[in-house]
Amino acid sequence: MKVTKHKKARKYMSFYINNFGFREPLLTLIDGTFCQAAYKARIQIEDQLKKYFQCELKLIVTACIITEVDNIGGPLTAVCQLLKKFLVHRCGHEKAPISGSACIKSMTKTCNYIVATQDRGLQEWLRSRPGVPLFYLHNNLVPTLVQPSEASVRAAASKSQARVQVREVDTQTLTSLKRKEGILVEEDGAGKDKPKRKKKGKNPNPLSCKKSKKRKEQDGLKKTEAVQEHAIEKKKRKRVKLAKHVVEHLKSIKAEGEQ
């Protein structure tokens, strides 16, 4: 199960890295609700998140989040002390602090953050925003990175389509360059009937033509004559020419026999 969980986390984060420009170290914005749930479950936030994402992380909070938890006081005093251990990021509301959820909403509009929260209302808002990874503790125990929302998927698809499409400025530049180089030929008098070309007579295909009967007969006669001549040549006796001394020797033998 752990392997599957880490695979999903890598898959989801690679989606955000490829489509929305997330880079390591990943900035993780933690609110009071997440910190409270982790404190109750005795989860070491930094260690668990590094194990889960298996990459460099920066855990950050804002002054608004700390102020909100500090104002509640009482049972959340320990949570406030825990929040103060993380890196405090400037949010621009230092002089007039706002609620933690409102601060997170304004922060995610300007920069890429992974938001760790248990606030259901904030979670729904984050799902409607493209390019904002949502992290929470499932059943207040299991660290879970939420699958990219439909808004994020649609935004990624539109971005990839925009990369592929050729801009109008580029097409105009290409046409001007073609005209300059003489590659583009402008058609004058579009819509006029073009003069039809006369078809030239073509010679018949010699392979598809049949031979004439006369030619066949002549070829047949030639073949028979050639066969007959060849047979006559075979019948002719070949004379063997003997040497003079052999002829004389044969004659002497013949003369002796007659005597």
Side-chain angles (χ1 to χ4, degrees):
M1 293 296 289
K2 285 184 179 180
V3 175
T4 308
K5 183 171 65 176
H6 294 315
K7 276 186 179 179
K8 282 184 179 179
R10 283 197 296 271
K11 181 183 175 182
Y12 296 160
M13 281 316 303
S14 64
F15 170 81
Y16 289 108
I17 288 166
N18 294 329
N19 294 294
F20 296 100
F22 278 75
R23 294 288 180 270
E24 291 186 23
L26 300 173
L27 301 177
T28 307
L29 189 57
I30 299 169
D31 74 342
T33 58
F34 182 86
C35 197
Q36 184 185 10
Y39 179 75
K40 283 183 179 179
R42 295 182 180 180
I43 293 171
Q44 297 293 326
I45 295 173
E46 190 170 359
D47 294 339
Q48 287 296 321
L49 265 66
K50 283 182 178 179
K51 283 180 184 178
Y52 185 86
F53 287 101
Q54 295 182 346
C55 64
E56 291 184 19
L57 291 171
K58 271 189 181 179
L59 306 181
I60 59 174
V61 293
T62 63
C64 295
I65 293 167
I66 294 171
T67 304
E68 183 182 38
V69 176
D70 194 21
N71 289 337
I72 295 169
L76 298 181
T77 305
V79 176
C80 184
Q81 294 298 321
L82 187 60
L83 283 169
K84 287 178 181 178
K85 290 181 180 179
F86 302 125
L87 182 67
V88 180
H89 204 64
R90 286 187 180 181
C91 60
H93 311 125
E94 286 80 11
K95 292 181 180 180
I98 57 177
S99 65
S101 59
C103 182
I104 289 169
K105 287 177 183 179
S106 66
M107 292 282 284
T108 52
K109 290 177 182 178
T110 56
C111 193
N112 292 328
Y113 296 104
I114 300 170
V115 179
T117 181
Q118 300 294 110
D119 187 351
R120 292 294 178 86
L122 182 58
Q123 286 177 2
E124 290 299 322
W125 185 87
L126 291 170
R127 284 192 181 96
S128 65
R129 295 284 301 174
V132 184
L134 174 60
F135 188 80
Y136 75 108
L137 295 175
H138 183 64
N139 292 330
N140 292 328
L141 288 172
V142 184
T144 306
L145 180 66
V146 178
Q147 184 178 355
S149 62
E150 291 181 5
S152 296
V153 173
R154 284 197 299 269
S158 63
K159 279 185 179 182
S160 61
Q161 192 174 1
R163 287 193 211 106
V164 174
Q165 286 179 348
V166 181
R167 295 179 301 173
E168 191 176 348
V169 179
D170 297 333
T171 52
Q172 289 176 0
T173 308
L174 285 169
T175 49
S176 63
L177 287 169
K178 283 179 180 179
R179 282 173 187 165
K180 191 176 179 181
E181 296 294 329
I183 299 167
L184 185 67
V185 179
E186 294 182 357
E187 294 181 357
D188 296 329
K192 291 182 180 180
D193 295 333
K194 293 181 180 179
K196 293 182 180 180
R197 292 182 181 178
K198 291 182 180 180
K199 291 183 178 179
K200 294 180 180 180
K202 294 181 180 179
N203 295 325
N205 187 0
L207 298 173
S208 63
C209 294
K210 290 183 178 180
K211 292 182 179 180
S212 61
K213 290 183 179 180
K214 289 182 180 179
R215 193 173 177 183
K216 280 185 178 180
E217 289 174 1
Q218 288 175 1
D219 292 343
L221 289 169
K222 285 180 181 179
K223 283 181 181 179
T224 51
E225 286 175 2
V227 170
Q228 287 174 0
E229 286 176 2
H230 187 64
I232 291 162
E233 284 177 1
K234 279 186 176 180
K235 286 179 182 179
K236 284 181 181 179
R237 188 175 178 183
K238 291 182 180 179
R239 291 183 179 181
V240 180
K241 194 173 182 181
L242 299 173
K244 284 183 180 182
H245 68 278
V246 176
V247 174
E248 289 175 359
H249 181 66
L250 290 170
K251 282 180 180 180
S252 63
I253 292 167
K254 190 177 180 182
E256 287 176 2
E258 287 177 356
Q259 289 177 4

